[in-house]
Amino acid sequence: MTPRELWDRYCRHLCAVDALDFRLDISRVRFDDGFLESMEPRMQAALAEMEALEAGGLANPDEQRMVGHYWLRAPERAPSPELRRAIEGTLASIESFAGDIHAARIRPESRPRFTQSLVVGIGGSALGPQFVADALGGPADPMQTSFFDNTDPGGFDRVLARLGDRLAETLTVVISKSGGTKETRNGMLEAREAYRAKGLDFARHAAAVTGKESELDRLAHREGFLARFPMWDWVGGRTSETSAVGLLPAALSGFRIREILEGARAMYTATRERSTAKKPAALLALMWHRAGEGRGAKDMVVLPYCDRLLLFSRYLQQLVMESLGKEKDRAGRIVHQGLAVYGNKGSTDQHAYVQQLRDGIDNFFVTFIEVLGDRTAPSIEVEPDATSGDFLSGFLAGTRRALYEGGRDSITLTVPDPGPRTIGALIALFERAVGLYGSLVDVNAYHQPGVEAGKKAAEGILALQRRLLAEMRARKGDWRTAEEIASAIGQADEVESAFQVLAHLAASPGRGVVLQGKRSDPRSARFAIER
Amino acid sequence: MTPRELWDRYCRHLCAVDALDFRLDISRVRFDDGFLESMEPRMQAALAEMEALEAGGLANPDEQRMVGHYWLRAPERAPSPELRRAIEGTLASIESFAGDIHAARIRPESRPRFTQSLVVGIGGSALGPQFVADALGGPADPMQTSFFDNTDPGGFDRVLARLGDRLAETLTVVISKSGGTKETRNGMLEAREAYRAKGLDFARHAAAVTGKESELDRLAHREGFLARFPMWDWVGGRTSETSAVGLLPAALSGFRIREILEGARAMYTATRERSTAKKPAALLALMWHRAGEGRGAKDMVVLPYCDRLLLFSRYLQQLVMESLGKEKDRAGRIVHQGLAVYGNKGSTDQHAYVQQLRDGIDNFFVTFIEVLGDRTAPSIEVEPDATSGDFLSGFLAGTRRALYEGGRDSITLTVPDPGPRTIGALIALFERAVGLYGSLVDVNAYHQPGVEAGKKAAEGILALQRRLLAEMRARKGDWRTAEEIASAIGQADEVESAFQVLAHLAASPGRGVVLQGKRSDPRSARFAIER
């Protein structure tokens, strides 16, 4: 296309949400005029499904659950007054609790106020809070946030070392929808131990966000945590940023959570009420479908040209991949759907892998995020009539152009700033696009049956470990190979796992397991608990 | 395969480097017995090319350059005594400079010592230092490191806000091989301005790592920076972590840089001296070839089960994708090669997207990194006979098994800890694997011709911006559309870029450009510099 034709295409397809100063440009995805028309019946069906979902239908039939994250930012649309009151009441209680913490009406045992928060969570209970903390945080915030988002002892130790004596003024927020996630349970126990070691009472530094009557909820009640906030079964972990999961950590940091909700609401409104061509979420879903041929044939590379949006792609990895990466369609046919997401930020990533994007394998499409206002104060000129921000903007435009000329598709979102309204709007946009895309490709976007296999296998390995330890304790000082020990407990088939478990135990201090020989020789290395 | 057959396969193909307590497990990649044999001639050819490269051949013919990053950790193999002395001398000068900084023999203007370092660099001048700082850093280090790794004004402001008054005790290290990278130049100017605003002399807080006689080198000399360290044209940015680029920031942080080099050297030695089956880098390259059919058909998902290795995948994105993502093979044929890399860490990513990996689109293979020693002190038990680290280990093993059972390939690297030797070894392993894979698929792994297109396009846009500003200044108060202003400077074809430039200028404080109308209506929005 000539530059003039591209300009026409750009203007014709530009989709804006004026209330958010938001624009979506799909002109650099190579669809022809018939594409939107041909997809319209399927999109209308997807929108009808979305309407049923919003009205409280069991949109996640496998788990017999409603899907209600949209109500969080538009409580008046919740299907019952009880749900509406629950949403509004929780928001009020979050604001009230954060206010009490900031005003030191709720205080730690031995310090005048809480200055730190430690969020313990993983997956949907960490990715949103991490994204928002990084996007909106600054050194003047009333509390600084750290995260336990794994079950890595070295990771716990590092965070605790950074907190140091400030643990005494740290509020730990444990977030687990089910209340039974092992990584989070472990993180909580490690945090509790750290408080204990400093002579502090964990419960007086703890709050919980979890499902009613969950294991965590009962523990928090029993031990007298400072506060408990609800998670509902109609909010999925990966769409929980505008529930207490996201809003409590954000409120503690002093972020304007009402603006996050307003941004989400404005995007939600925009994406509900007009024709497909004016619905940004619908267009986004259609572009994903077009670029990846409706089967995830291309990876989605997310490049916000803004340091504060660095973690958006990590947030999207879960939202998109866990929602869309499914073995079966809704009729039970094997489809192996999905849509891989990666990316960090521009222009930084230009210096990492735009070489491949421009020249190499054509297995991706880019989603650029342009942030118009790059700074609140005036900038120095780094060259005549050019600021650092002009370069940032120029690199985005230049890369968008170079990719187009190289035959690579891209989408560009433009937002005014990386503030709370924008954050809310971006989250709402992608939540909605994922839901619509799920309908287009006919998968249940609201369950995650595939994560069980790994968990079950892990449980099996921990059970094996217990039996190996028991066997070695019963025969202390008896040096045996992994094969011999596994056979002794009737698990000869599990010799490989046994070897790996033993190698790990032998490398862990205080476990009593010793290795003779070399880990590099799994058949002859011998293990024992010494006498 | 039965569990017993898998155990046999595991033992048979296990490749260990005992000096590093390192293991590479390729048993969960589905290659058959004939594969290694059939690839052996090509691997031998690749190894022969590697030998020629190490002997100082012009392995990067496009740029007529030697490729010498292997000499950095084995200086005795450098092709001339001059190069050897340059490598050893630079290492000594890094240690001496860091020692002077730590002992406050070199001090800031107004504080007793430097406590912070601010690394200004992008791409190969940031990703390695960031990875290593995150992997090895802690609160007790003699200096804490921050980064300017982009040209985002908001990003600069955030880092500077976090440093606050400590800028007075901050050493800024500007890293640019060419000395002309715009993002880095901008970052340096923004840093200089921040020092100036606090009444501080930038040069007395600055060091440079750059090519001899580069623009930056001359500036550093002219302004009297505290120190200058060389970059050589035979070290590529993406393989520069064991040059001054990586070692200077690491030494300033107090990391044991000799151990990083020893780890790299030990891996280098292991990967040089024995048969293919005993060379981890060769096996890794072969597995990439196998999994992706020699054309990057599968993405490489990198999952270290260790918080400290979180940034390894970002480091690898550049090393792998910029090296292998090429339009042409070495004979000039169009091949569009590449190998996409993403991933963060386990088990965290299990809760983000293992759903897709396990059930969804089969467009990836996983590289697990197992870290045996999870903590230096004993752990609490989170369940009987189980620690947090046992869960971490169990989740890795469980996910590896679930993926295998689902027909997905994985590779597992096992390392003893995330210490400096391991870091050096991992870097050396992947550097070598990338070089060998480049030979296998016949691309020049050492140039990056595709990044120029985006830079040139960006320059064009900045030139357009200058002309637009000049035109609007000449007709202040004249409200015109982007189309009218672009036409007035004879750039009617550039109306889309003009609109985008004007929209950005109107959103930037202090530029004088004002917008009338809505950004969402690019044809009718009007812009002017007011009288």
Side-chain angles (χ1 to χ4, degrees), chain A residues 381-394:
Chain A
E381 290 191 351
V382 293
E383 288 183 13
D385 267 344
T387 65
S388 293
D390 294 342
F391 273 88
L392 187 66
S393 182

Side-chain angles (χ1 to χ4, degrees), chain A residues 107-363:
Chain A
R107 300 158 48 165
E109 288 170 275
S110 59
R111 297 282 173 100
R113 61 195 317 124
F114 285 110
T115 66
Q116 309 290 319
S117 69
L118 170 62
V119 173
V120 183
I122 194 166
S125 299
L127 292 165
Q130 287 170 321
F131 165 49
V132 172
D134 195 49
L136 301 179
D141 296 337
M143 297 174 85
Q144 299 293 319
T145 313
S146 309
F147 290 89
F148 277 4
D149 69 346
N150 198 359
T151 180
D152 175 15
F156 297 142
D157 290 348
R158 179 162 63 159
V159 172
L160 292 169
R162 291 221 175 106
L163 284 172
D165 283 343
R166 292 176 302 175
L167 189 67
E169 52 204 62
T170 299
L171 175 70
T172 292
V173 179
V174 187
I175 307 179
S176 171
K177 181 178 165 185
S178 72
T181 305
K182 298 298 185 192
E183 289 92 334
T184 304
R185 189 271 321 263
N186 296 353
M188 182 183 72
L189 294 176
E190 296 264 0
R192 182 158 71 176
E193 173 62 17
Y195 282 99
R196 195 203 55 73
K198 289 189 185 289
L200 297 165
D201 177 5
F202 177 61
R204 294 183 62 189
H205 296 76
V209 180
T210 186
K212 199 153 180 62
E213 298 297 325
S214 77
E215 199 180 312
L216 171 59
D217 192 47
R218 290 195 305 270
L219 179 130
H221 180 65
R222 199 168 59 237
E223 299 200 347
F225 280 24
L226 295 172
R228 291 178 292 150
F229 299 89
M231 264 296 277
W232 302 292
D233 68 0
W234 44 269
V235 176
R238 57 186 175 273
T239 53
S240 64
E241 180 51 30
T242 54
S243 77
V245 170
L247 296 180
L248 177 63
L252 290 170
S253 295
F255 306 154
R256 300 189 297 271
I257 61 173
R258 295 269 172 181
E259 291 186 28
I260 296 175
L261 289 169
E262 278 169 29
R265 184 188 179 89
M267 181 61 77
Y268 166 78
T269 304
T271 210
R272 283 188 72 245
E273 296 194 2
R274 289 172 293 173
S275 72
T276 299
K278 296 285 177 194
K279 287 185 207 287
L283 289 180
L284 207 51
L286 288 169
M287 293 304 107
W288 298 352
H289 196 281
R290 175 69 185 183
E293 301 166 31
R295 54 187 178 84
K298 303 246 166 135
D299 297 344
M300 185 194 310
V301 178
V302 179
L303 289 183
Y305 276 61
C306 177
D307 288 358
R308 285 185 175 273
L309 300 182
L310 174 72
L311 295 184
F312 191 46
S313 64
R314 276 189 73 184
Y315 173 80
L316 289 181
Q317 281 181 328
Q318 190 200 26
L319 176 61
V320 175
M321 295 172 77
E322 196 168 64
S323 297
L324 302 179
K326 299 291 154 73
E327 183 187 17
K328 295 176 180 163
D329 68 12
R330 289 181 294 190
R333 288 178 294 248
I334 306 286
V335 290
H336 293 304
Q337 270 289 356
L339 184 53
V341 177
Y342 66 90
N344 305 291
K345 63 178 181 178
S347 71
T348 307
D349 283 9
Q350 290 183 212
H351 293 259
Y353 58 78
V354 160
Q355 165 63 36
Q356 176 165 316
L357 299 193
R358 156 87 189 166
D359 275 5
I361 183 169
D362 184 11
N363 64 351

Side-chain angles (χ1 to χ4, degrees), chain B residues 397-431:
Chain B
T399 302
R400 172 174 173 272
R401 175 177 292 196
L403 289 179
Y404 177 78
E405 289 170 358
R408 272 67 173 159
D409 286 336
S410 70
I411 297 163
T412 303
L413 313 181
T414 300
V415 297
D417 57 51
R421 282 173 62 87
T422 295
I423 299 302
L426 286 173
I427 288 169
L429 173 65
F430 280 85
E431 281 179 353

Side-chain angles (χ1 to χ4, degrees), chain B residues 270-305:
Chain B
T271 211
R272 283 190 71 246
E273 297 194 0
R274 290 173 292 174
S275 72
T276 299
K278 296 285 178 191
K279 286 184 207 286
L283 289 179
L284 207 50
L286 287 169
M287 293 305 105
W288 299 352
H289 196 279
R290 175 69 185 183
E293 301 165 33
R295 54 187 178 85
K298 304 244 166 137
D299 297 344
M300 185 195 308
V301 178
V302 180
L303 289 183
Y305 277 61

Side-chain angles (χ1 to χ4, degrees), chain A residues 4 134 158 299 390 511, chain B residues 134 158 299 390 483 511:
Chain A
R4 297 298 306 184
D134 195 49
R158 179 162 63 159
D299 297 344
D390 294 342
R511 309 305 289 277
Chain B
D134 195 50
R158 179 162 64 160
D299 297 344
D390 294 342
E483 174 116 39
R511 309 305 288 278

Side-chain angles (χ1 to χ4, degrees), chain B residues 10 13 52 60 81 95 191 210 232 237 416 435 449 466 515:
Chain B
Y10 172 76
H13 291 296
N60 179 359
E95 289 180 317
T210 187
W232 302 291
R466 289 192 182 92
L515 164 74

